[in-house]
Amino acid sequence: MSQGLSERWKWFQQDLLQSLLHYHGREDHATARVLLLSAIGTVGMPLYYVVWHNFFPQDYESVPLRLVGIVLCSAGLFAERYSKPVLDLYLLVTLSYIFPFFFTFMFLMNHASGVWAESLLIGLVVLFHFDTGLACRAYLIGTALACAAAAALGEAATLLRPQVLQQLPIHLFTIAALSVAKVSREVLAQAKLAGLGAGLATVAHELRTPLTSVDANVRGLLRLAHDGAGAQREDRLQTLDALTRIQFEVRHMNHMIDLFLLSATAVNRNLRPTETVSMAAVVESVLRRYPFAGAAQQRSVAVEVRADFAFAGQAELSVVILLNLLRNALKAIHRAGKGRVRIVVDGARATPRLLFIDTACGVAPSRLPLIFRRFYSYPAHNGTGIGLALCKEIMQAWDASIRCVSREDAYAVFVLEFPPQPSARLP
């Protein structure tokens, strides 16, 4: 029986979440909140009248004020049909009435009781989840009207009681804290958008060249198809060459997409070691999977296995590390217009290590301490700045280390050292 109730409750939560996402996808976020709060208010106003009148009686209750609140909340159930000016006016009127006016008035008329002090504070928290300017206007309007109404009904002395005045610093602190939290959320949202923009820029940069090549080859094929002149054999050879190039570029783009997905998903994975991995096998897998721009680039990478070794880690994350290092090295070679890559698997040492060497442009001494810092990239347009930071994070999770030794305009050597394992050396 309890399991059935639990399943139904889960289904209800999922349906509610889907409904909110549905509204959020179609309407302004404020509209979705109005719909939810209106539903809660329409039910809560009469429900809490019963609670405070019958179960926990308060000194003062007002059916007319609650009826006005029910009418306002019920009107909010149709918020998605309102135009923006009408919705803005509705929000100002309803928020001013419900949270500051009604809760403050009931707080004063019940002689600053604890129940209504807590209710007023909760209402304030809900109010300032809306736009800060709107919330401030509603707070000032509703609070002023509530104080005036209470004074008109003979509760002017209550306004100066310590139980009432001590609420002011609490309210001010709550408003300040909520405003700071809202600013922090906005900054985080901007940072996410900036990260998304940088990631998309990197993807666009990496895929633009092969797409240009595909486009050029397709245009060449179209010219051949429309041009009846020329030797038939020569046309056939040009067609085959263009198709081969298109096939290569498509393969290159697919591999780059795989690399981006591997790096992106690694951020959210459990990084702790879960298996014993052969370093030579990882290097072989990386060279097999990397989308080299051509045979010449592939020949520029040499591998030397002095002695294979095993380490505690994750094979897929090991591939992520080496793919990032290889990609950075080849980009440095392209930028410098010279250099080669040498990968050395050295498991014969007391501390097994992998050396990743490129003889391109190196790293300036002033930038060397920054290269493993998240979001740092050089040149600035050279990527998102998360690759090496992710490599270091993974290595640290494996109790291993990664460092760079470099000479500007000469070489860069990435040294990956792993804790020795029992029988770690492999044939």
Side-chain angles (χ1 to χ4, degrees):
M1 180 68 179
S2 60
Q3 186 175 0
L5 290 174
S6 176
E7 289 297 324
R8 283 196 290 271
W9 173 244
K10 289 180 180 178
W11 279 110
F12 171 75
Q13 288 177 310
Q14 292 176 359
D15 289 343
L16 179 60
L17 178 60
Q18 290 299 322
S19 299
L20 291 175
L21 290 175
H22 172 69
Y23 281 121
H24 181 68
R26 293 190 306 148
E27 307 292 339
D28 185 87
H29 185 47
T31 307
R33 281 181 293 177
V34 169
L35 291 167
L36 181 59
L37 287 174
S38 296
I40 294 173
T42 303
V43 175
M45 276 288 183
L47 175 64
Y48 275 89
Y49 172 79
V50 175
V51 172
W52 301 139
H53 185 266
N54 296 326
F55 297 100
F56 304 101
Q58 302 296 303
D59 293 340
Y60 179 85
E61 256 299 346
S62 173
V63 173
L65 289 181
R66 287 192 178 272
L67 287 175
V68 173
I70 292 171
V71 170
L72 288 173
C73 289
S74 300
L77 297 175
F78 307 95
E80 59 180 346
R81 302 181 183 178
Y82 298 160
S83 63
K84 190 175 186 309
V86 173
L87 180 62
D88 290 342
L89 179 61
Y90 170 80
L91 277 173
L92 179 61
V93 172
T94 303
L95 293 178
S96 300
Y97 180 84
I98 298 294
F99 295 115
F101 175 78
F102 180 80
F103 282 89
T104 302
F105 182 76
M106 298 300 286
F107 168 69
L108 294 173
M109 296 304 293
N110 283 283
H111 314 295
S113 70
V115 166
W116 282 104
E118 294 173 9
S119 300
L120 176 57
L121 187 60
I122 293 171
L124 196 63
V125 171
V126 175
L127 173 63
F128 275 86
H129 272 78
F130 286 85
D131 176 74
T132 303
L134 172 64
C136 287
R137 291 195 300 274
Y139 177 73
L140 294 174
I141 294 171
T143 302
L145 291 176
C147 292
L153 293 176
E155 293 291 337
T158 305
L159 296 173
L160 301 177
R161 291 177 59 184
Q163 294 93 325
V164 174
L165 296 177
Q166 70 187 7
Q167 294 297 315
L168 292 177
I170 296 175
H171 289 183
L172 292 176
F173 175 78
T174 302
I175 293 170
L178 289 171
S179 300
V180 170
K182 191 178 296 183
V183 170
S184 299
R185 287 198 302 269
E186 291 174 356
V187 170
L188 179 60
Q190 291 298 322
K192 287 181 178 179
L193 288 174
L196 178 61
L200 290 175
T202 302
V203 173
H205 176 74
E206 294 291 347
L207 299 185
R208 193 181 304 279
T209 300
L211 284 172
T212 302
S213 176
V214 169
D215 179 64
N217 281 280
V218 169
R219 281 189 281 110
L221 289 174
L222 288 173
R223 281 197 302 269
L224 288 173
H226 288 91
D227 188 3
Q232 187 176 4
R233 175 178 173 78
E234 183 181 347
D235 289 348
R236 202 162 45 241
L237 290 175
Q238 290 178 4
T239 301
L240 287 174
D241 181 67
L243 289 173
T244 301
R245 188 63 190 174
I246 289 173
Q247 186 179 39
F248 171 81
E249 296 295 2
V250 169
R251 177 176 172 271
H252 174 83
M253 287 186 286
N254 280 325
H255 279 225
M256 290 308 301
I257 290 169
D258 289 341
L259 173 59
F260 289 133
L261 290 176
L262 275 173
S263 297
T265 55
V267 176
N268 298 319
R269 289 175 59 170
N270 179 10
L271 304 181
R272 299 302 301 172
T274 58
E275 57 186 313
T276 301
V277 184
S278 162
M279 180 56 76
V282 172
V283 173
E284 180 184 357
S285 174
V286 167
L287 294 180
R288 189 172 60 250
R289 296 168 71 167
Y290 191 83
F292 291 102
Q297 189 183 63
Q298 190 167 9
R299 286 194 299 270
S300 70
V301 180
V303 178
E304 178 185 349
V305 181
R306 295 175 182 172
D308 191 13
F309 64 92
F311 61 93
Q314 295 184 39
E316 198 69 9
L317 292 182
S318 305
V319 170
V320 169
I321 294 173
L322 268 64
L323 280 174
N324 274 291
L325 293 177
L326 180 57
R327 179 167 171 265
N328 289 346
L330 293 175
K331 288 174 74 173
I333 290 172
H334 177 74
R335 194 164 64 248
K338 69 177 183 71
R340 298 180 62 84
V341 177
R342 185 162 159 250
I343 304 173
V344 180
V345 180
D346 190 1
R349 299 167 52 89
T351 301
R353 69 181 184 178
L354 175 79
L355 301 178
F356 213 101
I357 308 164
D358 73 77
T359 55
C361 52
V363 182
S366 60
R367 296 191 177 93
L368 197 57
L370 306 175
I371 60 174
F372 293 105
R373 184 177 296 177
R374 192 176 294 274
F375 304 125
Y376 176 81
S377 64
Y378 181 83
H381 62 276
N382 198 38
T384 60
I386 62 174
L388 288 178
L390 177 61
C391 292
K392 185 172 184 178
E393 188 177 348
I394 295 171
M395 292 290 287
Q396 288 177 338
W398 297 347
D399 295 325
S401 65
I402 179 172
R403 56 191 171 89
C404 180
V405 179
S406 179
R407 180 180 174 186
E408 192 173 9
D409 298 323
Y411 62 83
V413 181
F414 285 88
V415 183
L416 286 70
E417 294 181 320
F418 297 82
Q421 302 289 317
S423 304
R425 184 173 174 177
L426 298 174

